Amino acid sequence: MKSALFTGAAVTLGLFLASIGPAQASPTDPPSTAAQQPTAQARQHGIAKDGDAYMGWLQNTTTSSAPAVMAPAATVEGIDVSSHQGNVNWAAQWTAGKRFAYVKATEGTSYRNPYFAQQYNGSYNVGMIRGAYHFATPNTSSGATQANYFASNGGGWSRDGKTLPGALDIEYNPYGATCYGLSQSAMVSWVRDFLNTYKARTTRDAVIYTNLDWWTRCTGNSTAFNATNPLWVARYASAPGTLPGGWPFHTFWQYSSTPIDQNRFNGDQTRLVALANG
């Protein structure tokens, strides 16, 4: 998401976020850890500092690039955004046919997207079904700690038909070792810790955003979650391709980053509403 163009109860959350505006540090925030420094490669992709990571930041150099094909009838188009997009023109995105959006809420345990309120509430207000995502940094704290931080800072859920379950963005590390210094078994344990904690907080199984290459390298292509957690696969090509982790099908597919991250739901609008309702 590098283009510059652009729960508790959902109502309560929306009012709260709108009231605080851009996220600022507060006395209740956990203390910041030492800032991680982006790698040279990450800097080339617009990640200038700790917290700047976004979904699919390395995808266009690790998967084949091809124009998106026309969507079959039983799909719904959407986008995902982060602070890189700033204030989004949601009316324009609706006119362009987008019907759902995922918004970066948090990263690690010390970053909150300063544009979260405008992006999360704005997408909802134009009629989109929206959700929040967390960029994982498994080397900085436990899965449970990060799941709690996410759930408390925008990643909540309510059965209002317009709020999707939170998503765990688990992918290439923009600050160092690809697998964050964890073994494959340790990574699987970290992911399980996050997912179990998130479900305890929200009652929902979080969506897992990843790609075949990273998941294979860093979890050993674990099949531990394919029966419980919806898959959001990243592959910039004309088809989702081979799915990671033995998932029998994908729920979301991120297929392009032009001119903003493009996503497709694997089903019609009624199924998207059903996912939102749990």
Side-chain angles (χ1 to χ4, degrees):
M1 286 183 292
K2 53 186 177 295
S3 171
L5 291 177
F6 310 101
T7 54
V11 172
T12 301
L13 175 64
L15 290 173
F16 169 73
L17 289 169
S19 69
I20 63 173
Q24 302 292 330
S26 74
T28 60
D29 285 340
S32 297
T33 56
Q36 300 189 96
Q37 297 303 311
T39 63
Q41 187 175 37
R43 290 181 183 278
Q44 291 173 354
H45 290 267
I47 300 174
K49 60 185 183 303
D50 196 1
D52 273 358
Y54 55 88
M55 275 186 171
W57 71 271
L58 195 55
Q59 281 304 114
N60 60 345
T61 61
T62 58
T63 57
S64 59
S65 178
V69 295
M70 291 297 293
T75 62
V76 184
E77 292 291 316
I79 61 172
D80 60 83
V81 296
S82 68
S83 63
H84 291 269
Q85 280 68 52
N87 291 323
V88 176
N89 185 338
W90 289 108
Q93 292 297 329
W94 179 269
T95 299
K98 308 308 179 185
R99 294 297 180 263
F100 72 90
Y102 264 98
V103 178
K104 181 179 178 179
T106 51
E107 179 176 326
T109 56
S110 60
Y111 174 84
R112 295 183 293 168
N113 175 7
Y115 294 94
F116 183 76
Q118 192 276 344
Q119 295 174 346
Y120 193 70
N121 296 332
S123 54
Y124 180 95
N125 289 339
V126 297
M128 291 187 190
I129 298 176
R130 50 67 194 280
Y133 81 83
H134 174 80
F135 192 96
T137 56
N139 59 316
T140 63
S141 56
S142 71
T145 297
Q146 293 194 28
N148 278 318
Y149 185 71
F150 175 48
S152 296
N153 290 280
W157 174 80
S158 64
R159 187 176 283 110
D160 60 0
K162 292 185 70 175
T163 304
L164 293 163
L168 171 64
D169 178 0
I170 188 86
E171 59 171 306
Y172 303 103
N173 179 13
Y175 309 111
T178 297
C179 299
Y180 300 85
L182 273 63
S183 67
Q184 291 176 341
S185 60
M187 184 64 75
V188 172
S189 295
W190 192 98
V191 172
R192 182 179 291 111
D193 194 27
F194 183 100
L195 299 176
N196 288 345
T197 303
Y198 184 80
K199 186 169 185 176
R201 286 289 304 270
T202 67
T203 76
R204 294 304 305 271
D205 289 306
V207 175
I208 296 177
Y209 169 97
T210 194
N211 64 77
L212 177 63
D213 175 69
W214 187 92
W215 191 259
T216 300
R217 281 207 257 175
C218 299
T219 75
N221 210 21
S222 172
T223 60
F225 312 108
N226 63 30
T228 52
N229 298 87
L231 172 67
W232 185 351
V233 64
R235 184 171 188 257
Y236 294 2
S238 58
T242 301
L243 300 179
W247 267 275
F249 58 87
H250 69 281
T251 298
F252 296 101
W253 168 31
Q254 186 189 71
Y255 61 86
S256 176
S257 62
T258 305
I260 195 170
D261 279 2
Q262 304 290 325
N263 297 281
R264 199 165 282 164
F265 174 71
N266 189 15
D268 63 17
Q269 185 75 18
T270 63
R271 298 312 305 160
L272 184 62
V273 172
L275 176 62
N277 279 324

